[in-house]
Amino acid sequence: MEAADGRKVHYVALLAAAPVLAAALASWLVVLGVGVAATVIGAGFALVAPKVSLATSVSVVAVALVTGMAVAVAWVRQRQAERIVELTKLAAVAQQAVLRPLGPQVGTLSVAGRYISSTATAEIGGDLYEAIDTPYGVRMIIGDVRGKGLDAVRLASIVLGSYRHVAYERADLRAVVADLDRAVARNVGDEDFVTAALVEERGGTLTIVNCGHPPPLLLRRGAVIPLEPPAPAPPLGFMPVVRPRVERLEPGDRLLLFTDGLGEARRDGEFFPTADRAWRLLGHGTVADGLASLETALVEWVHGRLDDDIALVLMEYVGARTGAAVAVPSWEVGAAES
C-alpha cells in the first residue's frame, strides 16, 4: 500500500499491527522478529521519502514502542501457558496416583475402570473408583467430589485412602459409609460433599448402598435394570443413613457403575441413552472392551464435547469360588456372628 501510494509516507503506523497480531499466537521471539522487521520496513520507507516529516518519525518510533509492548505481552502469555501446562500435568499425575488401575480380575469378578476427561486438556477432576478383595467379599466404590481442580483431587484421595483402610476393617457396609462420612466432614466446607455408591459381592450376593449417587445398572440376559436404593440418602458429608439393596447374581451378570457426567452427557438438549444402549455396548467381549465401546459411542454422541468428567467401572460376575461358604451380606454379618 505504501509503495503504491508514491514517495510520500502515509501508512507506516499500520505496521504496528503486525507485532500486535503475532503476540496473540506466537512466542515472544517470533513477535520480536516480526516487530523488528516492521520497524526496519517503516524506517526504510521514511528514509526514501523526499522529506522525513515529524509524523513519519513519530510513526516509526510508535512501531518500535508497540513492538516492545507486544513482546512483553507475548512473554507473559507464554509463561502463563507454560505454567498452566505444568500444573495440569502435575494434577494429572496426582490423579493417576489416586486412581489405581483396576482388574482385570478382583476375586470372582472381572473388573475394568475408565476415566473420561471432559476436555483434552482438563485431566483434573474429583471422580473416584476402587475395587478390592476383602475378607467380606469384593468391595467397590465409585464417587464424585463436588467441584474440580486440585482441591477435588485432594478430597478424592482422602475418600479413597479412608476406603482402602475401612473396607478391610468393617464387616457392615453401613459402618464403612459412616467412617467415610466422618472423613469427608473433617476435610470439607459446609457446601462440599461427595456422592458415592458402595458395592459388595459375597458368594454371589450383591449388596449396594447409595449416598446420593446415580444407581448402578445391572445387565442380565439382554435387560438393563437400574438398581435404585430402597430409600434415598444424602451424599457423604451430610451424615447419610443408608438402606442396603441386595440382589442375587447369576454367572454372566454385569454391573455398570458410573458418575453423573454420563447421565448429563447430551447433544442438542438430548441426553445420551445409556439404559437403551447399555446392553449392546457393554454386554459383549471383555469388560474392558465394553467400556471402550461405551466411551467411543458417548464421545461420538456429544461430538467430543463433554460437560463433566466421567468415571466408569464395569464388573462381570463369573461365578462363586469352589467350596465357597454360604453367602451372607455384610450388613447381616454382625447379626450372624452374634
Side-chain angles (χ1 to χ4, degrees):
M1 182 185 299
E2 192 69 72
D5 193 44
R7 300 189 67 184
K8 291 185 178 181
V9 179
H10 296 121
Y11 306 107
V12 168
L14 294 178
L15 291 170
V20 171
L21 293 175
L25 299 173
S27 68
W28 70 269
L29 285 174
V30 172
V31 175
L32 178 61
V34 171
V36 168
T39 304
V40 170
I41 292 172
F45 278 115
L47 291 176
V48 299
K51 181 181 178 180
V52 179
S53 66
L54 178 61
T56 300
S57 300
V58 171
S59 295
V60 173
V61 173
V63 172
L65 291 176
V66 170
T67 295
M69 291 187 288
V71 168
V73 169
W75 182 82
V76 171
R77 179 186 55 77
Q78 186 175 343
R79 288 295 302 271
Q80 289 178 339
E82 290 172 352
R83 182 171 177 79
I84 290 173
V85 169
E86 182 180 359
L87 290 175
T88 301
K89 288 181 179 179
L90 288 174
V93 170
Q95 190 175 57
Q96 291 168 6
V98 170
L99 295 179
R100 301 183 302 195
L102 296 185
Q105 193 79 18
V106 182
T108 59
L109 305 178
S110 297
V111 180
R114 206 169 187 91
Y115 193 99
I116 306 174
S117 293
S118 57
T119 67
T121 57
E123 299 180 355
I124 312 168
D127 294 19
L128 59 97
Y129 53 75
E130 181 62 288
I132 50 181
D133 193 4
T134 76
Y136 309 105
V138 177
R139 286 179 164 177
M140 296 181 286
I141 184 173
I142 190 161
D144 190 357
V145 176
R146 178 181 180 272
K148 286 183 175 292
L150 292 176
D151 287 341
V153 175
R154 179 186 65 84
L155 184 53
S157 70
I158 291 172
V159 173
L160 285 176
S162 299
Y163 177 76
R164 288 164 181 157
H165 172 72
V166 299
Y168 287 98
E169 302 296 327
R170 303 295 191 188
D172 191 329
L173 279 181
R174 291 172 295 187
V176 175
V177 168
D179 287 341
L180 295 180
D181 177 67
R182 286 191 291 269
V184 170
R186 286 193 297 264
N187 290 278
V188 300
D190 294 337
E191 297 182 357
D192 295 322
F193 57 84
V194 181
T195 67
L198 285 74
V199 176
E200 175 189 285
E201 183 278 322
R202 182 178 174 90
T205 297
L206 186 72
T207 305
I208 304 169
V209 294
N210 196 312
C211 304
H213 199 77
L217 299 180
L218 177 64
L219 285 69
R220 173 178 291 168
R221 299 193 301 271
V224 179
I225 307 166
L227 299 183
E228 299 281 354
L236 299 173
F238 293 149
M239 295 184 292
V241 177
V242 295
R243 289 179 56 191
R245 172 163 181 164
V246 180
E247 298 284 337
R248 187 65 186 173
L249 291 174
E250 302 175 2
D253 282 353
R254 291 189 172 188
L255 187 72
L256 175 66
L257 310 174
F258 57 93
T259 54
D260 60 5
L262 179 61
E264 295 172 356
R266 58 187 179 273
R267 68 178 182 196
D268 301 327
E270 185 178 359
F271 291 97
F272 181 73
T274 303
D276 293 339
R277 302 182 65 178
W279 178 258
R280 294 196 300 273
L281 295 170
L282 302 171
H284 309 281
T286 66
V287 288
D289 293 337
L291 289 186
S293 297
L294 176 58
E295 179 179 0
T296 300
L298 177 65
V299 172
E300 180 181 355
W301 175 270
V302 299
H303 303 302
R305 297 179 181 178
L306 290 168
D307 295 328
D308 194 6
D309 296 351
I310 302 172
L312 303 169
V313 176
L314 182 63
M315 73 85 163
E316 179 179 1
Y317 177 64
V318 295
R321 296 186 181 96
T322 303
V326 176
V328 180
S330 69
W331 55 279
E332 290 185 353
V333 168
E337 292 175 347
S338 58

